[in-house]
Amino acid sequence: MDDITSKYCMPRIKGSQLSCTLVGSLSVLFNLKDTAVLLHGTTGCAHYGMKFCQQMMMRADEIMPGYQLPPVNFGTTALSENELIFGGEDRLCEKIAEMLNAYPNLPLFVIPSCIVEVIGDDVQGACERMSRDTGRTVIYFNMGGFLKGDHFQGVNTTYFDLIDHFLPPPTQTDPRAVNLVAERGLMPAAEIDFLEVRRLLAKLGLSINTRFVRHLAFADLGRVTKAALNLPSVSNQSMAICQRLHERFDMPFLREGFPSGFADTRSWLEAIRESLTLDVNIESLMREEWDFFRTEIDRLGNPLAGLKVIINAVPIHLGWLTEFLEAVGADLMQINLLDTGYFQTDFIDNPGALPCPVNARMRFEDVLANNLDAHADMILQCSVHYSPLPNHQPGLLIKEVPVVPPVGPRGLLNLFVNWSQWIRSNQVEGWRNEPIEHLV
């Protein structure tokens, strides 16, 4: 594994990583169409897995009402206390047979939890026996819950297994087709981001070969290697997956994720143009995007213009947000970066990279003091669930900063529409003059 793979296999947050490898693997496999997934573990893991399915569907429907994820064919062994003591392989084989009967035309993925690793069930052997005895496809994914790592490692390991075992060598490449690699399936706005990426690629005369693996049928995995270029969705984790595709099949890939805002979009489009040697005028394209953005803001009216704004955030990528505030005519007064000890970014060691005073590695109480002295009109912060001021002044607007930035110029325009409607709504008028303690 070379430097880029080892670097980007690591998550952006240090320490315990949100969830285990099992959940990371589920977040990938649930996006594959025409498959079934069996979780081999306890009732607790079973509950978590089913709740996880429901949350994915509910989040998608919140952002795009009526949007449906592919059906999730999910089962679990739900091991009892007795099976944990004496072993759960018999129960696993019974459940595999049950799942194969329930889904007669689908491959079955089997994922073990950490307790199964502890008691020593031979999950791989059971899968191989059942596959041999039934003539069906039963695939073992070596996760092992927290014993094998965190959510991000589960995502990467699952993608690596799919690449290594189910993708064929390329036979023919479409020079005008690209893959979208490892889209953020847990993010509510994943489909909105996809529509913007597709729109931008169409301006370059490119089509999307596959979304690896979002909404991709298992039988269509072989199409992945036909693309001329792989586009990672995010520049940290997705890069390792693109690197694996490059190592296995010599597939070129972009070394930056989906763009946020105008500057990122220009750089992203230029990198694609150079990679595929396209005859496209990127500057002209970006002028069109900017003109459309300004026209829409003027047409809709701009309640953000002239607002004095403070950002209180963990040190995530904020360049897109400062660009957005400048574009809508807001006055960015200062940025307070909270010292959480978890997030990593060059901003925290390079405050000059941002276009206003930056207070780095601040304690929460110091952020409160700064906010009191600044007399801002609007505070953007990493969560609305803590108070930016003990008793904030009347008229102060408080909004949460998206941890995952909106994609492309239209992403910024969608954000402008959302925030404008929020500022003008009666809901905001109803609570913004009151102390914030009731939100905590």
Side-chain angles (χ1 to χ4, degrees):
M1 182 179 292
D2 64 13
D3 290 341
I4 188 172
T5 305
S6 59
K7 174 182 178 182
Y8 290 112
C9 272
M10 299 304 294
R12 292 195 308 144
I13 313 171
K14 296 178 180 178
S16 180
Q17 300 307 305
L18 307 178
S19 59
C20 65
T21 56
L22 185 149
V23 179
S25 183
L26 290 178
S27 72
V28 177
L29 297 179
F30 282 170
N31 278 283
L32 265 175
K33 291 166 36 177
D34 303 329
T35 60
V37 179
L38 173 60
L39 188 160
H40 182 38
T42 62
T43 52
C45 290
H47 168 76
Y48 194 87
M50 287 184 281
K51 182 180 177 182
F52 183 77
C53 295
Q54 293 175 327
Q55 287 179 333
M56 286 182 68
M57 295 176 183
M58 290 171 61
R59 287 174 178 175
D61 188 65
E62 285 174 6
I63 298 297
M64 297 180 70
Y67 170 75
Q68 293 291 324
L69 286 169
V72 176
N73 306 310
F74 178 67
T76 174
T77 52
L79 297 177
S80 66
E81 184 175 302
N82 186 64
E83 288 159 339
L84 290 177
I85 295 172
F86 296 103
E89 286 185 38
D90 290 343
R91 172 61 180 153
L92 173 61
C93 291
E94 291 173 4
K95 192 64 182 181
I96 289 175
E98 180 184 322
M99 292 283 287
L100 292 177
N101 288 330
Y103 306 105
N105 300 314
L106 304 184
L108 177 63
F109 300 142
V110 179
I111 308 174
S113 67
C114 50
I115 191 63
V116 169
E117 293 286 317
V118 171
I119 65 177
D121 280 358
D122 183 9
V123 181
Q124 183 175 6
C127 291
E128 291 174 351
R129 286 196 308 274
M130 292 299 294
S131 181
R132 183 175 60 251
D133 293 346
T134 63
R136 296 281 301 282
T137 302
V138 181
I139 304 163
Y140 164 70
F141 283 88
N142 184 15
M143 290 299 119
F146 283 111
L147 293 181
K148 295 295 177 70
D150 57 36
H151 178 100
F152 298 97
Q153 289 164 317
V155 169
N156 279 351
T157 300
T158 303
Y159 270 105
F160 292 166
D161 284 347
L162 291 172
I163 291 168
D164 293 345
H165 301 296
F166 301 108
L167 299 192
T171 56
Q172 185 177 4
T173 300
D174 184 345
R176 292 282 178 167
V178 299
N179 291 323
L180 307 185
V181 177
E183 292 173 80
R184 295 166 288 200
L186 299 185
M187 295 297 105
E191 286 304 302
I192 293 176
D193 291 348
F194 161 71
L195 294 176
E196 175 67 350
V197 168
R198 185 177 65 178
R199 185 186 71 86
L200 292 171
L201 291 172
K203 287 182 173 291
L204 300 180
L206 301 176
S207 63
I208 296 173
N209 176 53
T210 67
R211 302 169 70 183
F212 181 55
V213 296
R214 190 168 175 83
H215 300 345
L216 183 65
F218 182 76
D220 291 333
L221 283 172
R223 291 170 42 205
V224 172
T225 53
K226 297 181 183 296
L229 183 67
N230 288 322
L231 304 179
S233 64
V234 286
S235 57
N236 50 2
Q237 185 179 357
S238 305
M239 200 71 70
I241 300 163
C242 287
Q243 177 70 22
R244 188 63 153 245
L245 286 164
H246 177 71
E247 292 170 353
R248 293 280 298 178
F249 307 114
D250 198 29
M251 298 183 73
F253 64 97
L254 215 61
R255 296 182 178 248
E256 51 189 287
F258 293 166
S260 304
F262 288 92
D264 277 1
T265 299
R266 178 182 288 104
S267 172
W268 187 74
L269 291 174
E270 188 63 42
I272 295 174
R273 186 194 67 79
E274 291 179 1
S275 296
L276 297 178
T277 321
L278 303 175
D279 184 16
V280 181
N281 188 326
I282 302 300
E283 288 304 316
S284 175
L285 191 156
M286 291 307 302
R287 280 195 300 271
E288 293 176 6
E289 293 292 327
W290 175 253
D291 290 344
F292 181 83
F293 181 81
R294 292 304 318 170
T295 299
E296 286 298 293
I297 284 181
D298 293 341
R299 182 181 68 83
L300 295 168
N302 186 3
L304 293 167
L307 291 183
K308 296 179 179 179
V309 179
I310 292 175
I311 298 175
N312 299 328
V314 292
I316 54 177
H317 175 53
L318 296 172
W320 70 272
L321 183 56
T322 61
E323 180 187 52
F324 169 74
L325 293 172
E326 181 180 2
V328 299
D331 178 14
L332 182 55
M333 302 171 67
Q334 65 182 3
I335 297 174
N336 301 315
L337 297 178
L338 291 165
D339 185 8
T340 65
Y342 296 112
F343 289 82
Q344 305 172 67
T345 175
D346 52 3
F347 283 160
I348 204 164
D349 295 317
N350 183 22
L354 295 171
C356 66
V358 177
N359 303 306
R361 297 190 175 93
M362 293 190 71
R363 298 177 303 167
F364 178 70
E365 52 268 32
D366 296 329
V367 171
L368 295 181
N370 269 28
N371 292 345
L372 281 170
D373 295 339
H375 302 290
D377 300 311
M378 184 177 190
I379 292 180
L380 303 174
Q381 59 188 39
C382 57
S383 174
V384 295
H385 299 298
Y386 72 83
S387 172
L389 296 174
N391 286 286
H392 62 269
Q393 64 265 30
L396 178 66
L397 299 165
I398 304 166
K399 191 65 175 173
E400 188 169 3
V401 176
V403 175
V404 179
V407 169
R410 298 293 170 87
L412 291 189
L413 186 59
N414 289 337
L415 187 70
F416 169 80
V417 171
N418 177 274
W419 285 8
S420 297
Q421 292 173 343
W422 168 76
I423 289 172
R424 293 174 173 133
S425 71
N426 293 329
Q427 179 185 4
V428 175
E429 296 292 341
W431 67 259
R432 68 176 179 177
N433 292 325
E434 301 173 3
I436 194 78
E437 277 80 359
H438 70 283
L439 292 181
V440 178

